[in-house]
Amino acid sequence: MYVYDKHDQTFVEARSQEFRDQVKRRLAGELSEDEFKPMRLMNGLYLQLHAYMLRVAIPYGTLSSDQMRKLAYLAEKYDRGYGHFTTRQNIQYNWPKLVDVPDMLDELAKVQMHAIQTSGNCIRNVTSDPFAGVAGDEWIDPRPTAELLRQWSSLHPEFAYLPRKFKFAVTGAAEDRAALKFHDIGLKVKPGADSEPLFEIWVGGGQGRTPRIAVLFEDKVELVDLLPKLDSMLRVYNLHGRRDNKYKARIKILIAEYGLENYRSDVEEDLALQSLEPFAPAVAEYHRIAKDFERTDVPPRSVSSPKQEPQSPGLTAWIKQNVTSHKIAGYGVVSISLKPKGGIPGDATAEQMYALADLAERFSLSELRITHRQNIVLPYVPASDLAELYEELVVHGLAEDNVGLLSDIIACPGLDYCALATARSIPVAQTLSTRLRERESREDLSGLTLNISGCINACGHHHAASIGILGLNRAETENYQITLGGSSNDNASVGEILGPGFSQEEIPAAVDRILDFYQASKQPDENFNQVYQRLGKSAFKEAVYVAA
Amino acid sequence: MAKKVKTDQIFVLTANDLSSGDIVFWSGESRWAQEITSAHVIAANEQDTFTEIASASESANEVVGAYLTPVERKNSDLQPVELRERRRVAGPSIAYGSPVLPQKIAA
Ligand code: SF4
């Protein structure tokens, strides 16, 4: 894992101290809310529906045991005993008091964490593949690139007030596990000559009220050219991105309105004017960072254990569903579901977070990951320890064997917490997960996704799911719109609105009808989106509305 | 400026406590209360007066984000008219942070 050098540590501690002073001045009345609000937002502190909310960055979703333990401690001491892992691989605390936030930030700084740039119109926490460094299909570890971007973008003076927020994702494997094409900029890292990284740059993706799939800006960008190019891309967006209408301010709208070719030629023009000197250390820095991510402490393990203990059906099912092959023989990548039957997607109690920290220490070289699907990953589990780990997970309520199944639902906080929400998402997810777990015991519901957002901002990625649910407010009553056919993988697609919305009570039956129709219509080896493409919206619409 | 509303519409003044972030309601006795049951009921033609009270309390750093929200009387209780405000008053509808019950290992 990346370890802060003294510059990183000094910077984070100084920021925490600065915010302590700002809070003190706010509470003393020396700063008005108008003056204070941009400062708190730059430190991840929102005022939500019921209380303040602190969003803590988990850079590229990678955590150490000590960091997870600290997150548990913050939940226990300063919040109500739990936290919520988000689709941006961050964690949110829903009930901190303003007076306590400086202490929370000091605690985070002790373990090389912070909440900087988790809000505001700046470059946000860079997300990445949760299987980075361990995936069997990986070409190159994306995290050194993500860390380089973190260093380049942290408090970048020119990009602190962009037209809108700006999100990066980086992957380096055949399978897209980071929804790359739904980001403002997505970087796909591949090995070039001498195994040096080469970058594909995708631009203009996003969700929200105008969902867009990113388009290829350039392939085969060399490491030495990466930061100058991104700097120019951001500068042109900063100049031309719309500031008159926040709904049209993201780079996806600039690309759509101004055109990719015009944008590209402006970037080239800007690049020609740039001094490359400030970027000179980037290549050496990348290699310095990359060394931190190389794990040289992975003990060799035998591929098969000499004596095979009989497995319980629960363990067998959990291994089948939640354990993925590792690039090192004798190890597995373990995904821990935060989607228990009837539970709250992405929530973990302080007790569970402490347990996860301990389990990572015992079984996974003290390392954990957060996924954009709101689950946890232990990336280095010896195959011979899987049974013991499973038993521990059962004790802590973390052994649901549904990763990658339909009940592995993404849901944003919705109207239970969020000030911008138009309807609740969590109770819908809870009802559906209870029903879907029952269906999953009888039929194969793998290869489909179900995502729920509590408003058109789409933090719950509903556009990018096979079955998307969007909560709306219709005449002060919650109403839910269904979209079908979305996907966030390499063949990314935006779901289509099926028809008129449903009440919260009607949603489970509507989802059942979609699944019944899919199961009755699918041909061998066809997945949901293939069936949807083949039969079209009208066939599904008829099945859902006419049959109702 | 106050919005155009029905003349018989009633309101409460709500905000968040600056330091704790807790939801509060103006109780009409120069105080903010935590329960809507203690809220002072404001008539449509009193909106400007209470908007000034809200600004003064914000300037005094007692509360943040103060605004008037329409309410109606349900039996003898006050209930916000808007969906968002109803949820804000009721709190999250879910059992958050609940202790985890150990699952039984499938035999
Ligand atoms: S999608 Fe809307 S309701 Fe959900 S977290 Fe985002 S802003 Fe809030």
Side-chain angles (χ1 to χ4, degrees):
Chain A
M1 283 182 56
Y2 179 70
V3 180
Y4 275 14
D5 63 17
K6 71 173 190 314
H7 300 293
D8 296 306
Q9 191 63 39
T10 309
F11 159 67
V12 168
E13 284 171 10
R15 263 305 277 247
S16 179
Q17 194 51 44
E18 182 185 56
F19 191 58
R20 179 177 293 281
D21 184 55
Q22 289 163 351
V23 170
K24 198 168 131 204
R25 286 157 63 208
R26 174 71 184 110
L27 291 170
E30 292 165 23
L31 290 174
S32 69
E33 185 60 17
D34 284 348
E35 290 164 328
F36 179 65
K37 189 176 172 184
M39 297 171 187
R40 69 167 162 78
L41 288 177
M42 278 179 198
N43 289 284
L45 188 64
Y46 289 72
L47 188 58
Q48 285 286 28
L49 194 62
H50 309 291
Y52 289 106
M53 180 272 279
L54 181 68
R55 181 181 294 152
V56 176
I58 301 175
Y60 30 91
T62 297
L63 276 175
S64 69
S65 294
D66 287 344
Q67 290 173 325
M68 180 61 100
R69 205 166 278 124
K70 186 63 79 179
L71 296 182
Y73 172 74
L74 295 186
E76 186 181 45
K77 180 158 167 82
Y78 299 106
D79 208 88
R80 296 190 181 173
Y82 71 107
H84 175 75
F85 291 98
T86 74
T87 53
R88 297 281 307 151
Q89 298 176 302
N90 294 318
I91 186 170
Q92 294 181 175
Y93 295 103
N94 291 309
W95 306 96
K97 299 192 186 317
L98 177 60
V99 284
D100 289 337
V101 174
D103 289 344
M104 295 174 82
L105 296 184
D106 278 354
E107 290 292 342
L108 288 168
K110 286 181 196 166
V111 292
Q112 310 190 343
M113 295 183 84
H114 58 72
I116 302 165
Q117 291 184 202
T118 58
S119 174
N121 292 337
C122 55
I123 299 172
R124 300 288 189 90
N125 183 39
V126 178
T127 56
S128 189
D129 184 349
F131 291 179
V134 294
D137 66 343
E138 185 171 273
W139 304 303
I140 203 161
D141 189 337
R143 291 170 302 165
T145 304
E147 172 58 27
L148 191 70
L149 295 187
R150 187 189 72 82
Q151 296 187 15
W152 160 73
S153 62
S154 290
L155 303 197
H156 193 307
E158 194 180 338
F159 305 143
Y161 294 97
L162 293 167
R164 264 315 252 141
K165 58 189 165 184
F166 204 95
K167 298 175 180 176
F168 274 92
V170 191
T171 66
E175 186 182 342
D176 181 356
R177 287 174 286 261
L180 187 96
K181 290 180 188 165
F182 280 106
H183 283 76
D184 295 289
I185 290 183
L187 298 178
K188 196 184 272 192
V189 198
K190 291 181 170 176
D194 303 326
S195 301
E196 281 289 286
L198 268 186
F199 300 90
E200 268 178 26
I201 304 181
W202 294 75
V203 68
Q207 301 197 48
R209 68 185 59 224
T210 321
R212 287 275 187 276
I213 310 281
V215 290
L216 185 63
F217 180 79
E218 199 171 329
D219 61 357
K220 302 196 179 76
V221 175
E222 292 188 13
L223 176 58
V224 65
D225 298 324
L226 180 68
L227 290 188
K229 187 142 287 181
L230 295 178
D231 221 65
S232 288
M233 290 178 79
L234 264 291
R235 183 165 305 110
V236 172
Y237 164 60
N238 205 10
L239 280 172
H240 295 304
R242 289 181 59 172
R243 289 174 190 268
D244 61 325
N245 180 343
K246 76 172 186 171
Y247 301 120
K248 293 186 185 285
R250 296 289 288 266
I251 196 171
K252 61 189 174 187
I253 305 294
L254 177 69
I255 299 292
E257 289 184 351
Y258 192 50
L260 180 64
E261 287 317 313
N262 288 333
Y263 175 70
R264 192 181 270 139
S265 90
D266 283 10
V267 169
E268 288 309 318
E269 219 170 90
D270 183 81
L271 204 49
L273 297 173
Q274 272 207 50
S275 159
L276 298 183
E277 208 189 317
F279 303 105
V283 172
E285 180 61 7
Y286 173 90
H287 289 292
R288 185 187 75 85
I289 295 166
K291 280 214 164 43
D292 273 1
F293 286 106
E294 280 168 18
R295 293 215 68 144
T296 52
D297 57 343
V298 186
R301 298 278 172 173
S302 73
V303 178
S304 60
S305 55
K307 190 163 64 90
Q308 286 285 342
E309 297 289 336
Q311 283 184 358
S312 70
L315 172 61
T316 306
W318 177 79
I319 290 176
K320 177 173 171 275
Q321 204 56 50
N322 291 30
V323 182
T324 312
S325 65
H326 202 287
K327 71 174 171 193
I328 303 173
Y331 282 84
V333 182
V334 170
S335 296
I336 297 169
S337 171
L338 293 184
K339 322 291 173 61
K341 184 177 175 180
I344 300 173
D347 273 18
T349 61
E351 184 238 10
Q352 287 177 318
M353 288 189 259
Y354 280 125
L356 286 164
D358 293 345
L359 294 173
E361 229 158 55
R362 270 175 67 193
F363 296 107
S364 180
L365 304 179
S366 299
E367 199 176 317
L368 306 101
R369 311 287 174 77
I370 311 304
T371 79
H372 89 273
R373 293 204 64 85
Q374 303 176 285
N375 291 320
I376 309 284
V377 169
L378 297 184
Y380 287 98
V381 180
S384 53
D385 290 348
L386 288 172
E388 205 181 332
L389 170 62
Y390 172 71
E391 286 187 28
E392 294 284 355
L393 291 173
V394 168
V395 170
H396 297 287
L398 291 166
E400 197 79 26
D401 54 354
N402 65 342
V403 170
L405 296 181
L406 194 56
S407 63
D408 183 2
I409 295 170
I410 289 181
C412 78
L415 190 56
D416 281 299
Y417 297 102
C418 180
L420 301 173
T422 40
R424 288 172 294 165
S425 339
I426 296 169
V428 180
Q430 289 178 301
T431 308
L432 285 174
S433 93
T434 305
R435 263 171 103 114
L436 291 171
R437 284 308 274 151
E438 276 149 27
R439 269 192 94 132
E440 282 163 358
S441 67
R442 303 187 303 270
E443 56 192 283
D444 179 12
L445 292 179
S446 55
L448 292 91
T449 49
L450 197 160
N451 300 348
I452 309 174
S453 301
C455 82
I456 194 61
N457 289 323
C459 306
H461 293 196
H462 68 277
H463 296 299
S466 323
I467 303 174
I469 298 178
L470 166 63
L472 296 167
N473 177 340
R474 296 266 189 252
E476 303 307 330
T477 303
E478 289 162 307
N479 188 269
Y480 295 86
Q481 193 177 70
I482 291 182
T483 52
L484 295 183
S487 164
S488 66
N489 65 20
D490 236 23
N491 301 313
S493 55
V494 173
E496 288 184 297
I497 298 169
L498 186 63
F502 298 91
S503 70
Q504 199 177 115
E505 294 70 34
E506 290 167 334
I507 277 285
V511 170
D512 270 343
R513 290 197 291 278
I514 292 167
L515 294 176
D516 291 345
F517 183 67
Y518 157 63
Q519 295 287 31
S521 312
K522 77 169 179 181
Q523 293 172 357
D525 298 329
E526 235 184 359
N527 68 27
F528 183 87
N529 282 8
Q530 288 164 334
V531 175
Y532 184 74
Q533 295 303 333
R534 177 167 58 82
L535 296 178
K537 177 167 123 176
S538 55
F540 274 85
K541 197 167 174 177
E542 190 168 328
V544 173
Y545 292 94
V546 176
Chain B
M1 210 177 80
K3 276 193 264 175
K4 278 202 172 160
V5 288
K6 286 188 284 180
T7 50
D8 59 351
Q9 178 64 60
I10 54 172
F11 298 84
V12 296
L13 178 60
T14 184
N16 291 76
D17 181 82
L18 172 64
S19 167
S20 68
D22 292 343
I23 295 170
V24 288
F25 300 89
W26 181 253
S27 69
E29 294 150 14
S30 303
R31 283 187 48 238
W32 293 90
Q34 297 225 335
E35 303 298 329
I36 194 170
T37 45
S38 307
H40 177 76
V41 177
I42 298 162
N45 62 4
E46 295 176 311
Q47 285 184 85
D48 289 345
T49 309
F50 284 89
T51 303
E52 280 165 26
I53 289 176
S55 302
S57 189
E58 283 178 332
S59 300
N61 303 302
E62 294 165 348
V63 296
V64 59
Y67 57 95
L68 292 163
T69 189
V71 291
E72 57 196 359
R73 288 188 200 278
K74 280 265 161 91
N75 302 320
S76 57
D77 293 338
L78 289 172
Q79 185 180 291
V81 171
E82 293 166 7
L83 173 67
R84 177 188 189 278
E85 296 305 315
R86 288 202 294 271
R87 178 54 45 213
R88 188 167 172 271
V89 167
S93 64
I94 48 179
Y96 57 79
S98 37
V100 180
L101 298 173
Q103 299 158 11
K104 211 170 160 295
I105 300 179

